Amino acid sequence: MGEKVPDVISQERIYPSRLNSMTLHQNHLPTMMDSTSSSLHASLAKLELSDGNSLYAKLVVGADGAKSRVRELTGFKTTGWYYSQNAVICTVEHKTENQCAWQRFLPSGPIALLPVGDKFSNIVWTMNPKESSACREMNENDFVKALNHALNYGYGPHPQSNLLGNNGDIFSWFRRDLTVSANECFEVPPDVVKLVSGRMVFPLSLRHANNYASKRVVLIGDAAHTVHPLAGQGVNLGFGDAFALSRIISEGIAVALTLGRCSCSFSQVHLLKKFEAERKRENIMMMAILDGFQKAYSVDFGPLNVLRAAAFHGAQYISPLKRSIISYASGEQRLPLFS
Ligand SMILES: Cc1cc2nc3c(=O)[nH]c(=O)nc-3n(C[C@H](O)[C@H](O)[C@H](O)COP(=O)(O)OP(=O)(O)OC[C@H]3O[C@@H](n4cnc5c(N)ncnc54)[C@H](O)[C@@H]3O)c2cc1C
C-alpha cells in the first residue's frame, strides 16, 4: 500500500479487467436520472433504464453525443443554431495508398478527404441541403465523378465567384507576375476510384450546453458542444474535456486524501463547476473561431475570396505562424488566451 501503481499497469491490466467485469446495458435508454438518498445508495446518482433496471454511480459522465439523453434528463438547456449546410460523409477508395489529409474550401462549403489507412479515405463534404439530397440520390459513378471534380477542378485553389464574370478565376485580377501560382502550392489529391460505403447526410449545427455540470452529473464532448466540422476540431474539444475532467477528479481525490477524508470529493459540485468554468472558456473561444471561419467562407465575394486565399498562402510561407496553426489545430498547443 502507499505505492503508486504505474500508469502503464493501470492502463494495461486494471482498466480492461474492470471493463470486462462490468455489465453493459446496451439498447436500454436511461429514462430518469435522480440523486438518491436511500441508505443503501446514499449520495449516489441513480439512472433508471428503459428495461426497468437502475444504475447507481458517484458520477454520471454524459459522453453520449450531440443528442445527449443525459443532458436532456438533467434538464440542461442549450444555445445554438443550425447552419444552412449539410455534410455528406462516406468512405472512398483510391488506386494507391493515401497518407495525406486534404481540405478544400468551395463556394458551397468545404470538402475534406481524410486518410483512414491503406487506400481508403473518409469524405466530409459540406453543401446546401438541396445539393446534399442530390448527392445522396445520384448513382455511384456520377457521385464519384462529382467528388473528383470537387476535389480537383482547376488544379488549384481557384474558388469560383458567381459575382465575377471571368469564369470565377479570382487570380486573373492580378497581373501574371504578381499571381501566387496555385499550381506551385497545390498538390492534387489522389483520385477517388470507388465508393466503399453508404452516403450519410448530417445537418450541421453549433450547439452549446448552458451548463456542463450539476450535482453528480457532468457533460463532455458533443453532449456539451457541437461545432462545424470545417476544421476537424470536434474530437479535440472532446479530448480536452476528458483530459480536464480526469485531471480535476484526480486533484479532488488528492485533496480529499490529504485532508484525511475517506470519501472522494470528486462528485462535489465545486469540483465539477471548476471543470465547467475551465472548459467553457476554451470551448466557447474555439466555437467562436470556427463559427467565424464558417461565416467568412460562406460569403462568395470576389475581393474577399482574394483576401482569404492570400491569407492562407501567406501562412504557408511564414513558418512559425504555420507551425502554430498546425499545433493549435492538432490540439497539441492551447489557444494563446489559455496557455
Ligand atoms: C459530418 C461530421 C463530420 C465531422 N468531422 C469531424 C472531423 O473531421 N474531425 C473531428 O475532430 N470531428 C469531426 N466531427 C465531430 C466529431 O464527430 C464529434 O465531435 C465527436 O464524434 C464527438 O465525440 P463524442 O464521443 O462526444 O460523441 P459521439 O462520437 O457522438 O459518441 C457518443 C457515443 O455515445 C453513444 N450513446 C448515445 N446514447 C447512448 C445511450 N443511451 N446508451 C449508450 N450509448 C449511447 C453513441 O452510440 C456514441 O457511440 C464531425 C461531425 C460531423 C457531424
Side-chain angles (χ1 to χ4, degrees):
M1 287 298 289
E3 250 184 34
K4 190 174 178 295
V5 180
D7 281 350
V8 66
I9 296 183
S10 309
Q11 282 159 16
E12 286 177 3
R13 300 195 199 143
I14 299 177
Y15 296 158
S17 70
R18 276 195 197 162
L19 285 179
N20 285 341
S21 65
M22 263 177 70
T23 311
L24 291 178
H25 297 261
Q26 282 169 353
N27 303 323
H28 296 302
L29 277 179
T31 55
M32 163 121 170
M33 196 149 51
D34 209 355
S35 275
T36 165
S37 52
S38 79
S39 55
L40 184 59
H41 299 108
S43 311
L44 296 177
K46 179 182 177 192
L47 210 57
E48 284 180 11
L49 303 182
S50 53
D51 64 353
N53 283 315
S54 296
L55 296 175
Y56 296 88
K58 286 179 182 163
L59 179 67
V60 176
V61 180
D64 49 347
K67 293 183 179 159
S68 172
R69 183 90 172 122
V70 171
R71 185 182 68 215
E72 191 187 318
L73 290 173
T74 314
F76 289 154
K77 300 271 179 286
T78 61
T79 307
W81 50 83
Y82 280 96
Y83 294 109
S84 53
Q85 288 179 323
N86 286 349
V88 177
I89 63 162
C90 59
T91 305
V92 295
E93 188 175 347
H94 309 284
K95 269 201 196 111
T96 52
E97 186 174 359
N98 174 35
Q99 294 183 329
C100 185
W102 307 79
Q103 171 134 297
R104 191 165 193 207
F105 288 87
L106 301 170
S108 55
I111 180 166
L113 187 146
L114 309 163
V116 288
D118 205 1
K119 291 187 279 183
F120 301 100
S121 298
N122 282 342
I123 296 288
V124 182
W125 190 1
T126 308
M127 57 188 78
N128 72 43
K130 210 170 141 199
E131 290 168 333
S132 68
S133 305
C135 260
R136 190 175 42 189
E137 301 310 325
M138 67 176 63
N139 73 47
E140 284 193 21
N141 282 343
D142 288 347
F143 178 72
V144 169
K145 263 190 220 154
L147 198 52
N148 281 322
H149 181 72
L151 288 166
N152 297 338
Y153 83 91
Y155 278 74
H158 297 278
Q160 292 211 334
S161 169
N162 299 331
L163 303 176
L164 296 173
N166 47 21
N167 291 332
D169 181 358
I170 56 171
F171 291 98
S172 66
W173 280 40
F174 294 104
R175 292 213 329 266
R176 179 69 191 93
D177 56 340
L178 290 179
T179 303
V180 179
S181 166
N183 291 331
E184 270 168 31
C185 55
F186 186 79
E187 219 179 299
V188 183
D191 268 351
V192 169
V193 290
K194 202 166 139 199
L195 180 67
V196 293
S197 75
R199 285 159 272 179
M200 284 187 278
V201 175
F202 290 90
L204 299 178
S205 64
L206 176 148
R207 199 147 295 281
H208 187 246
N210 298 351
N211 301 93
Y212 295 2
S214 71
K215 200 177 168 196
R216 306 198 181 288
V217 182
V218 65
L219 301 179
I220 62 171
D222 273 25
H225 41 72
T226 53
V227 292
H228 195 289
L230 91 171
Q233 287 304 301
V235 170
N236 278 344
L237 291 181
F239 283 163
D241 293 345
F243 181 75
L245 183 60
S246 64
R247 177 175 46 73
I248 287 172
I249 287 174
S250 310
E251 286 167 7
I253 293 172
V255 170
L257 290 177
T258 311
L259 294 177
R261 287 160 52 187
C262 53
S263 71
C264 298
S265 61
F266 70 74
S267 57
Q268 289 178 5
V269 176
H270 74 271
L271 274 181
L272 299 180
K273 285 290 172 191
K274 184 177 166 194
F275 160 80
E276 177 180 288
E278 183 178 317
R279 289 307 297 164
K280 252 190 185 176
R281 273 200 313 271
E282 206 151 330
N283 291 335
I284 288 174
M285 171 65 113
M286 182 56 89
M287 292 175 94
I289 292 173
L290 297 179
D291 190 54
F293 264 109
Q294 193 279 335
K295 296 210 162 35
Y297 274 95
S298 299
V299 181
D300 183 22
F301 177 60
L304 184 64
N305 297 358
V306 174
L307 276 178
R308 281 191 313 237
F312 258 88
H313 285 302
Q316 169 81 7
Y317 294 109
I318 305 172
S319 293
L321 179 62
K322 186 177 166 186
R323 270 199 304 275
S324 289
I325 292 173
I326 291 172
S327 179
Y328 294 130
S330 63
E332 274 172 22
Q333 204 176 318
R334 303 176 88 193
L335 289 164
L337 278 180
F338 306 105
S339 46

